[in-house]
Amino acid sequence: MGGDNGPPITIPAALEVLADNPQLTIIACGDKYQISPLLQNASASLAARLQVIHCPQVVSMGEKPSQALRSKTQSSMRIVLDLLKENKAQACVSAGNTGALLAMAYYVLKMLPGIKRPALVTAIPGSLGHKTYVLDLGANVACDEHILHQFALMGSVLSEKNDLKNPRIGLLNVGEEEIKGSDTIKKTARLLKEDKSLNYIGYVEGNDIFNDKADVIVCDGFVGNISMKACEGLAKAVIETIKSLARENWWSRLFAAIALPMLKKLYRQMNPDQYNGASLLGLRGIVIKSHGNASKDAFKYALEEAINEIRHQVPEKIGNRIERALTDRSQ
Amino acid sequence: MGGDNGPPITIPAALEVLADNPQLTIIACGDKYQISPLLQNASASLAARLQVIHCPQVVSMGEKPSQALRSKTQSSMRIVLDLLKENKAQACVSAGNTGALLAMAYYVLKMLPGIKRPALVTAIPGSLGHKTYVLDLGANVACDEHILHQFALMGSVLSEKNDLKNPRIGLLNVGEEEIKGSDTIKKTARLLKEDKSLNYIGYVEGNDIFNDKADVIVCDGFVGNISMKACEGLAKAVIETIKSLARENWWSRLFAAIALPMLKKLYRQMNPDQYNGASLLGLRGIVIKSHGNASKDAFKYALEEAINEIRHQVPEKIGNRIERALTDRSQ
């Protein structure tokens, strides 16, 4: 039900992903009166694998997380998470209210043993096809060194699902020299260096998010969220500037006519906000957050991310990794 | 002497700015053996307004600020700041080591009365010709609410020099709702709201840096530095991706041939790192930091920023504004 568009986006995306994945079943939780008409033209074999559970409530996009948690126990968001908790579903995908999803997932699923805080993470596409996982992107505004250390471990496990051995872990800072950064950053650097299970490469800077320097970049949710939104703002400003250039003369109109479709493609490829399917890591279950204004194709990416994380048993591996780290530290 | 290129960039830029500003005198502090040959073709009237002071030392780009402060008392950077302190110059422009410039300027010039910390600020170019002053960009990794409040006052004064009445002040946060953000951010919001001398518009998000939403955006140097470097990284990644697209087929080669020169122009216009001439505010004197790899034209912008700040008496106005704020609070 979530996102700016709801079932008209999510249901067609679900049908296409079902067609691509013959072993998959999708449970669509939401308003059956909105969902059913969208299934009328689906083939019987696909519709058989798309189960609908009617939910009388919806968490709206502007709703306060605390209020949604209290009063929306019959919402599509809550019922999906309940299914996950009862092992009736293996992953949750939502395009809804991020804050409410974080709060409800935290409340219903609980954290994996030993994990202090969940982290929101996504792969940021950089130059030449490189991807960097950046976490946290906004689940936690303030993080101490132990939380950031756990983010490094969780990010490492997530990036390993792309057949990556020893992913390179960088710590986001204002310079590469050892003396740079706050006390928390310096303490985190020490913990990451000491942890022999991590391939820690040291401090990285903001521009390195888009380089092939690190596979995982660790930061708190304040700086992660603001940096990624700043990049989104820059991308939009570039496109607007080109559009206004296009009104200047015939030469720039020609340029704009050629450049805009390709820039929009680039923008869709590279804009972190559209690079869809952020994972909420650290919970007892797989929770994928789609961008609220995701297109059908973008929502398909979010569903595919969920399938990948199920295949690679991401929560189980994170649980094992954290348990090992805690055992090592206590020895 | 500073930056990646030194006198071959800075001296031709200085001569061009002298030609544009008949009342200006520039004192070039540095190695006279490198500077003199660059003045041979200058007209006598320009050369007469470019005074050379020989400095036997240079602060190198990788040098530790503490070491430069201790051992480079005869460097071009130090001698410029000494001239400023002795009222023999009205502004300092340097393309050198940022950390060393911050430390030396702080040590030599001292802060204006009542100001806790200096801030590095520059105008970030957004869509449709709008500029937003963002501070701090990296002078302070951690800032409490009182420091951030002073940044708002200093940024307000700086943006007023562009004939702006009541500049809109935004506080950078992870959302616009009142409940969002860390304790420090919430405390800062209260101080900004209470200060009737400020046109405080509330929280802004990362993407708003490039919008016409605020004229001044306040943040600590950690998030400011990382956000702007992330944007720089994105811009470079976009250009590299277009270059690699250009190798794919004739259509994309044509696109790249047309797009790259315009994108590079856009990049120079919009890349905050190249938008040259960051001001170090809060000191008893005008200090402008040019980007280290500035071109001649970019270095001219830094010199012109210095002239503008002299004309608008920025340090004096900041001093008055802070004094008034302190008086208001003590009443």
Side-chain angles (χ1 to χ4, degrees), chain B residues 127-192:
Chain B
S127 54
L128 310 175
H130 178 71
K131 286 177 193 176
T132 307
Y133 285 91
V134 179
L135 74 169
D136 171 38
L137 291 177
N140 311 279
V141 290
C143 302
D144 67 18
E145 64 272 23
H146 302 290
I147 294 176
L148 291 169
H149 178 207
Q150 293 195 338
F151 290 175
L153 290 164
M154 297 200 287
S156 193
V157 171
L158 190 67
S159 71
E160 281 165 11
K161 82 173 168 25
N162 305 334
D163 294 324
L164 209 58
K165 303 267 178 240
N166 295 320
R168 297 160 297 171
I169 314 288
L171 180 60
L172 198 57
N173 198 358
V174 292
E176 293 180 8
E177 304 85 0
E178 291 232 345
I179 55 153
K180 291 282 176 93
S182 65
D183 277 354
T184 303
I185 291 290
K186 288 176 193 163
K187 285 180 193 162
T188 307
R190 271 199 296 275
L191 285 181
L192 299 186

Side-chain angles (χ1 to χ4, degrees), chain B residues 15-323:
Chain B
L15 288 170
E16 290 189 17
V17 173
L18 283 170
D20 294 341
N21 296 276
Q23 297 188 303
L24 182 70
T25 301
I26 293 183
I27 312 171
C29 298
D31 178 354
K32 66 179 174 188
Y33 303 104
Q34 286 187 53
I35 296 171
S36 300
L38 296 163
L39 297 175
Q40 275 175 349
N41 297 324
S43 77
S45 66
L46 287 187
R49 289 190 284 122
L50 198 144
Q51 187 189 339
V52 178
I53 294 187
H54 179 66
C55 308
Q57 289 182 315
V58 174
V59 176
S60 66
M61 292 301 270
E63 198 161 347
K64 272 193 181 178
S66 56
Q67 193 181 321
L69 195 58
R70 229 175 10 247
S71 65
K72 295 291 176 71
T73 54
Q74 293 304 305
S75 63
S76 48
M77 189 183 277
R78 176 61 183 270
I79 286 172
V80 173
L81 292 165
D82 287 339
L83 288 174
L84 209 57
K85 186 180 169 62
E86 295 156 12
N87 283 320
K88 293 176 182 160
Q90 285 174 274
C92 152
V93 180
S94 169
N97 182 322
T98 309
L101 183 65
L102 285 172
M104 271 194 193
Y106 186 78
Y107 175 78
V108 174
L109 299 175
K110 313 285 187 246
M111 304 304 297
L112 285 161
I115 294 191
K116 292 166 185 289
R117 302 283 306 157
L120 199 61
V121 54
T122 195
I124 307 293
S127 54
L128 310 175
H130 178 71
K131 286 177 193 176
T132 307
Y133 285 91
V134 179
L135 74 169
D136 171 38
L137 291 177
N140 311 279
V141 290
C143 302
D144 67 18
E145 64 272 23
H146 302 290
I147 294 176
L148 291 169
H149 178 207
Q150 293 195 338
F151 290 175
L153 290 164
M154 297 200 287
S156 193
V157 171
L158 190 67
S159 71
E160 281 165 11
K161 82 173 168 25
N162 305 334
D163 294 324
L164 209 58
K165 303 267 178 240
N166 295 320
R168 297 160 297 171
I169 314 288
L171 180 60
L172 198 57
N173 198 358
V174 292
E176 293 180 8
E177 304 85 0
E178 291 232 345
I179 55 153
K180 291 282 176 93
S182 65
D183 277 354
T184 303
I185 291 290
K186 288 176 193 163
K187 285 180 193 162
T188 307
R190 271 199 296 275
L191 285 181
L192 299 186
K193 218 178 286 178
E194 282 165 18
D195 186 336
K196 298 303 170 206
S197 80
L198 288 171
N199 179 12
Y200 174 59
I201 60 163
Y203 293 142
V204 297
E205 297 194 65
N207 50 311
D208 296 321
I209 293 171
F210 299 93
N211 291 341
D212 186 18
K213 191 156 183 183
D215 301 301
V216 176
I217 291 183
V218 174
C219 59
D220 68 44
F222 192 78
V223 74
N225 175 284
I226 289 174
S227 303
M228 289 302 99
K229 286 213 172 140
C231 290
E232 182 197 335
L234 171 63
K236 283 186 184 159
V238 167
I239 286 177
E240 274 179 48
T241 305
I242 289 175
K243 280 184 184 162
S244 76
L245 279 178
R247 288 188 289 269
E248 276 179 12
N249 55 44
W250 73 267
W251 172 247
S252 54
R253 271 200 299 278
L254 174 68
F255 165 73
I258 299 171
L260 274 179
M262 289 202 71
L263 275 177
K264 279 187 186 158
K265 193 178 152 194
L266 249 182
Y267 176 70
R268 275 196 301 272
Q269 275 179 16
M270 301 200 52
N271 175 10
D273 206 49
Q274 295 286 346
Y275 205 74
N276 207 27
S279 311
L280 191 56
L281 296 182
L283 298 168
R284 294 176 194 254
I286 295 166
V287 179
I288 308 293
K289 171 65 179 74
S290 160
H291 195 261
N293 70 11
S295 64
K296 184 189 69 179
D297 286 341
F299 196 75
K300 280 174 67 180
Y301 279 115
L303 290 166
E304 280 158 10
E305 177 65 26
I307 297 170
N308 265 325
E309 295 194 15
I310 293 170
R311 281 212 181 102
H312 286 87
Q313 304 181 293
V314 169
E316 291 80 356
K317 285 182 181 156
I318 287 178
N320 294 340
R321 188 76 177 258
I322 294 288
E323 198 187 331

Side-chain angles (χ1 to χ4, degrees), chain A residues 25-297:
Chain A
T25 301
I26 292 181
I27 311 171
C29 298
D31 178 354
K32 67 181 174 188
Y33 302 104
Q34 285 186 55
I35 296 170
S36 299
L38 296 163
L39 296 175
Q40 275 175 349
N41 296 324
S43 76
S45 65
L46 288 188
R49 289 190 284 124
L50 197 144
Q51 189 189 337
V52 179
I53 294 186
H54 180 66
C55 308
Q57 289 182 313
V58 174
V59 175
S60 67
M61 291 303 267
E63 198 160 347
K64 273 195 181 176
S66 56
Q67 192 180 323
L69 194 59
R70 228 175 13 246
S71 65
K72 294 292 176 72
T73 55
Q74 294 303 306
S75 63
S76 48
M77 190 183 277
R78 175 61 182 269
I79 286 173
V80 173
L81 291 165
D82 287 340
L83 288 174
L84 209 57
K85 187 180 167 60
E86 296 157 10
N87 283 321
K88 292 176 183 162
Q90 287 174 274
C92 152
V93 180
S94 170
N97 182 323
T98 309
L101 183 64
L102 284 172
M104 271 193 193
Y106 185 77
Y107 175 78
V108 173
L109 299 176
K110 313 283 186 246
M111 304 303 296
L112 285 162
I115 294 190
K116 292 167 184 292
R117 302 283 305 157
L120 199 60
V121 55
T122 195
I124 307 294
S127 55
L128 310 175
H130 178 72
K131 287 177 193 176
T132 306
Y133 285 90
V134 179
L135 74 168
D136 170 40
L137 291 177
N140 311 277
V141 288
C143 302
D144 67 17
E145 63 272 23
H146 301 290
I147 294 176
L148 291 169
H149 177 205
Q150 293 194 338
F151 290 175
L153 290 165
M154 295 199 289
S156 193
V157 170
L158 190 67
S159 70
E160 281 165 11
K161 82 173 167 26
N162 305 335
D163 293 325
L164 208 58
K165 303 269 177 235
N166 295 318
R168 295 160 298 170
I169 314 290
L171 180 59
L172 199 56
N173 199 0
V174 292
E176 293 181 6
E177 305 85 359
E178 291 232 344
I179 54 154
K180 291 283 177 88
S182 64
D183 278 353
T184 303
I185 291 290
K186 287 175 192 165
K187 284 181 193 162
T188 308
R190 272 200 295 278
L191 286 180
L192 299 185
K193 220 179 284 178
E194 282 166 19
D195 186 337
K196 298 304 169 204
S197 80
L198 289 170
N199 178 14
Y200 174 59
I201 60 161
Y203 293 143
V204 297
E205 297 193 65
N207 51 310
D208 296 321
I209 293 171
F210 298 94
N211 291 342
D212 186 18
K213 192 158 181 179
D215 301 302
V216 176
I217 291 183
V218 173
C219 59
D220 67 46
F222 192 77
V223 74
N225 175 285
I226 288 174
S227 303
M228 290 302 99
K229 286 211 172 138
C231 290
E232 180 196 334
L234 171 63
K236 283 186 183 158
V238 167
I239 286 176
E240 273 178 48
T241 305
I242 289 174
K243 279 184 185 163
S244 76
L245 278 178
R247 288 187 288 271
E248 276 178 13
N249 55 43
W250 73 267
W251 171 247
S252 55
R253 273 201 298 278
L254 174 67
F255 165 74
I258 298 171
L260 273 179
M262 289 202 70
L263 275 176
K264 279 189 184 155
K265 193 179 152 193
L266 250 181
Y267 175 71
R268 277 196 300 271
Q269 274 178 17
M270 300 198 53
N271 175 11
D273 206 49
Q274 293 288 342
Y275 206 74
N276 206 24
S279 310
L280 191 56
L281 296 183
L283 298 168
R284 296 176 192 254
I286 296 165
V287 178
I288 308 293
K289 171 67 179 75
S290 161
H291 195 263
N293 70 11
S295 64
K296 185 190 70 182
D297 286 341

